[in-house]
Each structure stands twice: as structure tokens, then as C-alpha cells.
Amino acid sequence: MKVAFVGLGSMGAPQARLIARGGYELAVCDAAPAAGDAFRGIARVARSPADAAQGAQIACVCVRDDRQVEEVVLGAAGLVESLAPGALVLIHSTIEIETLHRLQVPLKARGINLVDAPVSRTRPTDDAAFVFTMMGGEPDDVDRARAVVGTFSTDVDHMGPLGAGMAAKIANN
């Protein structure tokens, strides 16, 4: 399965490395081109989110805030430009629930599904599963995401409909 991962910061880079170790065909992208250097040889380093999403069935987003999430997903070179109908977008960033619902409308119009999958660090390691992932979304979409999310998660829980994972993460914070 092809997976795109956007956002190679302190949480995203270890998540992406574990996805690659899980045997997935991975393409990565970050706003800071140097962040991709550590992925040469283990993933395709893409020029933009749209480039990373070429042929991906699942696209993961782990960036700083709502504005960046919206740009990565819906921007001119965003994931939506390349993802095919049936693809799944996972939002690992901690953002407002309203932002998820705003994103869902244009994605759904293109046949792309959305799951909120924010993470909370559980172990002080980047070499093994190190986060708890709280997911919100349709049960079939959450089930489809589990294998990828399981590569970097100590635990994965489906909290309910879209936004429920984010609500649990916000309460956890």
C-alpha cells in the first residue's frame, strides 16, 4: 500500500520512519526541505503534498496548526490535488473540531474520506511504537487506517464519529 506523510517534525518524523519500517511504500514531504534528507533511501522525498500523494491510498498529516493542515490538504499543491476517490486522509495534528468538518466537505465531494487521528506520546522512543492514537470517523475508514496507525501506536482507539478523536485528545491535553 502507498502512504503519503506530510510533516516531518518531532512527532511526524518518527511516525513516518515507523510506517516505512512497517513495509509501506512511503512518500514524505515537509515545508523544510532539509527534513526530508533523513528519509532518502527509505522513502520517496516529495516536492509538495500533492507530489507525495501521487498514488497514495492513505495520506497522513502531522503539521503544527489548523492553517497548516488546511494548506496541506486543500492548498494549491495540497493532497486533494492528487488523491484519488477512495483515498483516506488522517489528521494527526491537534486542531479544532470545526476545522475537521470544514475539511470534510470538499474531500467528500471528491470521494476522499477523512479520519481525525491525533496522537499523544506514550513512550520516550522513536524506534518503536511511541504514541496513543485516538481516532474519529466512520468505522470502515477507521478500520482501514488501523494497520498504518498501528506501526507507530502503542494503542489505537476509535472514539466515535469525525471529531471524537480530536475531542479526546483535547480533553487529554
Side-chain angles (χ1 to χ4, degrees):
M1 175 189 304
K2 290 185 179 183
V3 177
F5 200 100
V6 180
L8 302 173
S10 62
M11 292 295 278
Q15 288 174 256
R17 275 195 299 277
L18 291 170
I19 291 170
R21 285 188 199 151
Y24 293 95
E25 187 177 338
L26 182 65
V28 297
C29 178
D30 193 90
D37 291 346
F39 286 86
R40 297 203 186 282
I42 64 169
R44 182 173 68 81
V45 179
R47 298 177 315 276
S48 68
D51 181 28
Q54 290 289 331
Q57 289 89 15
I58 294 181
C60 301
V61 179
C62 191
V63 296
R64 185 179 51 230
D65 57 28
D66 295 70
R67 184 191 60 76
Q68 285 186 341
V69 168
E70 289 182 292
E71 183 64 25
V72 162
V73 175
L74 300 176
L79 297 170
V80 73
E81 296 301 316
S82 296
L83 290 173
L88 183 59
V89 174
L90 307 180
I91 305 296
H92 302 301
S93 307
T94 303
I95 60 171
E96 294 186 20
I97 295 167
E98 295 79 22
T99 302
L100 291 167
H101 293 287
R102 274 197 315 272
L103 290 171
Q104 185 182 35
V105 173
L107 290 174
K108 188 171 248 181
R110 292 178 180 237
I112 300 167
N113 297 326
L114 179 64
V115 168
D116 56 302
V119 296
S120 182
R121 189 177 282 276
T122 59
R123 293 186 184 149
T125 178
D126 294 343
D127 296 328
F130 70 106
V131 297
F132 168 44
T133 303
M134 299 149 268
M135 293 199 286
E138 294 296 322
D140 289 345
D141 295 332
V142 169
D143 287 345
R144 196 160 53 116
R146 278 187 189 277
V148 171
V149 171
T151 63
F152 54 78
S153 301
T154 58
D155 296 290
V156 178
D157 280 337
H158 182 201
M159 309 307 271
L162 186 69
M166 204 62 65
K169 169 65 188 281
I170 292 166
N172 180 61
N173 281 356

